[in-house]
């Protein structure tokens, strides 16, 4: 009953995903907590973390840490919740409904211009993990971002990191943001459906959605940012993306808890660096593979290069993100951002020591 009431409350607040896959992710999160024996026993420090899509491979460390039992080992009772887009995870964090968010680091810069002080405390990645997919029907018309003009481009949600990156790729290639139409289509089945129906000509998404689209031959890769080299080619440098970010005031007043979270996540990142995609896939909830374990493991393998091994912010990464956002976002373009306040390495460096 406790879980049902919680989900109902989130739905009433407009914070529950409307897709079946994300609902499965929430179920898996609850199951993982129950299986670990920490739920409701009153022994662990309770922390709620909203993830911008638990089933997305780019945010895989969140659920994997739960499944490996590393939260429990640190004395934490972590409740993982799921949203289809990072911007919604951001909303849950700044409204105080959760203590942490797993989403893109770029939200910390955007929020600073709005007077909200949020920082990345564990940096999962040094590349976006995103892929611009063009539909088979539009492949001849869209051969590079220069062809975005007049097109309908899929993103997870307005104000999301896929929205930011799509706008940057357009502007960098001479297309103004007023010259194409961003379409919020989410991820997973909703993205695939939009591509099938022609609701979008191309779109930005992550694995396992990328693997599904390619397997069904619904589209092809236009820009691949799943590796550091792909990030360098498309964005001009390392692009720290998926991270655990939290409100700075909360971090400063709960340092012991944040350190435990950092310890758990860094353990997971190290574990990932020494295990195969098949071994990682085997640890994840069964429904994440959507009935195709081989395809799911392949999706993980394609995305693994994006992850750090120590949770430390990559050198010059924040500057790349700032450059990308300033290219199209007038609020950030005209603002002075203190990058040092958008992340901290205090906790991950202690965790790796």
């Amino acid at each position: 009953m406790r879980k049902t009431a919680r989900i109902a409350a989130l739905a009433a607040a407009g914070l529950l995903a409307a897709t079946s896959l994300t609902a499965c992710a929430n179920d898996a999160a609850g199951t993982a907590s129950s299986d670990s024996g920490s739920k409701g026993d009153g022994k662990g420090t309770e922390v709620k973390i909203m993830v911008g899509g638990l089933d997305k491979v780019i945010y895989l460390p969140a659920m994997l840490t739960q499944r490996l039992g590393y939260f429990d080992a640190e004395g934490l009772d972590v409740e993982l919740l799921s949203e289809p887009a990072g911007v919604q995870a951001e909303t849950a964090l700044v409204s105080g409904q959760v203590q942490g968010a797993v989403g893109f680091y770029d939200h910390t810069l955007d929020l600073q211009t709005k007077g909200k002080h949020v920082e990345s405390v564990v940096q999962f990645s040094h590349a976006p993990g995103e892929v611009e997919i063009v539909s088979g029907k539009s492949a001849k018309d869209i051969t590079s971002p220069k062809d975005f003009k007049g097109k309908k481009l899929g993103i997870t949600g307005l104000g999301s990191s896929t929205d930011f990156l799509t706008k940057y790729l357009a502007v960098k290639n001479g297309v103004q943001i007023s010259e194409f139409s961003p379409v919020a289509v989410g991820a997973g089945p909703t993205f695939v459906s939009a591509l099938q129906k022609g609701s979008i000509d191309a779109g930005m998404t992550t694995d396992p959605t990328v693997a599904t689209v390619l397997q069904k031959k619904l589209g092809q890769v236009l820009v691949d940012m799943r590796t550091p080299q792909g990030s360098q080619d498309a964005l001009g440098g390392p692009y720290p993306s998926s991270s655990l970010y939290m409100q700075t005031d909360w971090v400063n007043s709960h340092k012991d808890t944040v350190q435990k979270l950092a310890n758990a996540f860094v353990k997971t990142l190290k574990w990932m660096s020494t295990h195969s995609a098949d071994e990682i896939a085997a640890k994840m909830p069964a429904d994440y593979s959507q009935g195709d374990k081989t395809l799911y493991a392949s999706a993980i393998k394609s995305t693994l290069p994006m992850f750090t091994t120590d949770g430390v912010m990559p050198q010059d990464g924040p500057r790349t993100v700032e450059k990308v956002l300033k290219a199209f976002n007038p609020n950030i373009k005209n603002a002075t951002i203190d990058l040092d306040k958008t992340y901290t390495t205090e906790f991950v460096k202690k965790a790796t020591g």
Side-chain angles (χ1 to χ4, degrees):
M1 290 298 293
R2 177 183 172 190
K3 180 180 170 187
T4 303
R6 185 185 308 123
I7 291 176
L10 283 168
L15 290 169
L16 188 64
T19 64
S20 59
L21 189 58
T22 304
C24 288
N26 268 327
D27 289 343
T31 301
S33 296
S34 298
D35 288 346
S36 68
S38 66
K39 239 348 164 194
D41 61 11
K43 295 178 181 178
T45 301
E46 293 187 359
V47 180
K48 289 184 180 180
I49 298 176
M50 184 67 80
V51 184
L54 264 171
D55 48 290
K56 296 177 184 177
V57 177
I58 58 170
Y59 299 141
L60 180 148
M63 177 57 73
L64 183 57
T65 303
Q66 187 82 281
R67 305 286 283 192
L68 290 171
Y70 291 161
F71 290 137
D72 286 349
E74 292 292 332
L76 298 172
D77 178 4
V78 174
E79 181 178 2
L80 296 174
L81 302 166
S82 189
E83 278 294 344
V87 66
Q88 293 159 324
E90 170 197 298
T91 300
L93 177 70
V94 297
S95 66
Q97 297 187 49
V98 295
Q99 288 77 52
V102 169
F104 269 40
Y105 160 72
D106 53 23
H107 291 294
T108 67
L109 280 73
D110 188 47
L111 285 168
Q112 191 180 113
T113 67
K114 300 170 182 174
K116 305 290 185 181
H117 299 290
V118 172
E119 60 188 18
S120 165
V121 295
V122 184
Q123 195 58 50
F124 296 165
S125 63
H126 46 190
E130 301 282 354
V131 177
E132 184 71 23
I133 294 276
V134 59
S135 76
K137 299 173 184 177
S138 302
K140 291 182 180 179
D141 298 325
I142 305 176
T143 58
S144 83
K146 293 179 181 179
D147 302 320
F148 282 174
K149 188 174 181 178
K151 300 298 189 293
K152 295 173 291 184
L153 304 178
I155 56 174
T156 52
L158 296 175
S160 67
S161 296
T162 52
D163 187 18
F164 293 163
L165 288 170
T166 299
K167 286 175 178 174
Y168 177 73
L169 290 177
V171 171
K172 181 187 176 186
N173 287 276
V175 180
Q176 299 305 307
I177 59 176
S178 61
E179 294 181 318
F180 67 90
S181 302
V183 183
V185 294
T190 54
F191 183 95
V192 174
S193 177
L195 209 59
Q196 281 179 313
K197 294 177 179 178
S199 303
I200 57 175
D201 302 302
M204 191 171 290
T205 191
T206 61
D207 277 310
T209 308
V210 175
T212 301
V213 169
L214 297 179
Q215 183 195 50
K216 293 178 178 292
K217 302 187 186 307
L218 297 174
Q220 59 192 50
V221 174
L222 186 70
V223 180
D224 193 339
M225 296 178 284
R226 289 176 290 187
T227 66
Q229 186 58 52
S231 176
Q232 179 70 42
D233 293 344
L235 307 173
Y239 195 93
S241 55
S242 56
S243 64
L244 170 69
Y245 63 86
M246 313 178 88
Q247 296 202 61
T248 302
D249 285 347
W250 199 90
V251 171
N252 291 336
S253 59
H254 296 79
K255 288 200 171 189
D256 287 346
T257 299
V258 176
Q259 186 62 62
K260 291 175 181 179
L261 287 167
N263 293 344
F265 280 123
V266 170
K267 270 192 215 174
T268 297
L269 291 168
K270 286 183 175 179
W271 188 92
M272 288 169 61
S273 72
T274 59
H275 290 76
S276 69
D278 285 327
E279 290 172 320
I280 294 170
K283 291 289 184 181
M284 301 300 285
D287 58 345
Y288 280 24
S289 67
Q290 299 182 60
D292 193 330
K293 294 181 180 179
T294 302
L295 184 67
Y296 183 57
S298 174
I300 292 175
K301 185 176 182 179
S302 296
T303 305
L304 274 179
M306 73 175 278
F307 293 107
T308 68
T309 60
D310 54 11
V312 175
M313 176 66 71
Q315 189 174 7
D316 295 330
R319 288 193 190 92
T320 305
V321 174
E322 183 182 32
K323 179 196 71 174
V324 166
L325 297 183
K326 279 184 177 292
F328 65 85
N329 188 322
N331 292 332
I332 293 178
K333 185 175 183 178
N334 301 318
T336 299
I337 297 174
D338 188 342
L339 293 176
D340 289 340
K341 291 183 178 178
T342 61
Y343 70 97
T344 177
T345 58
E346 173 186 350
F347 304 98
V348 290
K349 286 189 173 178
K350 287 180 182 176
T352 57

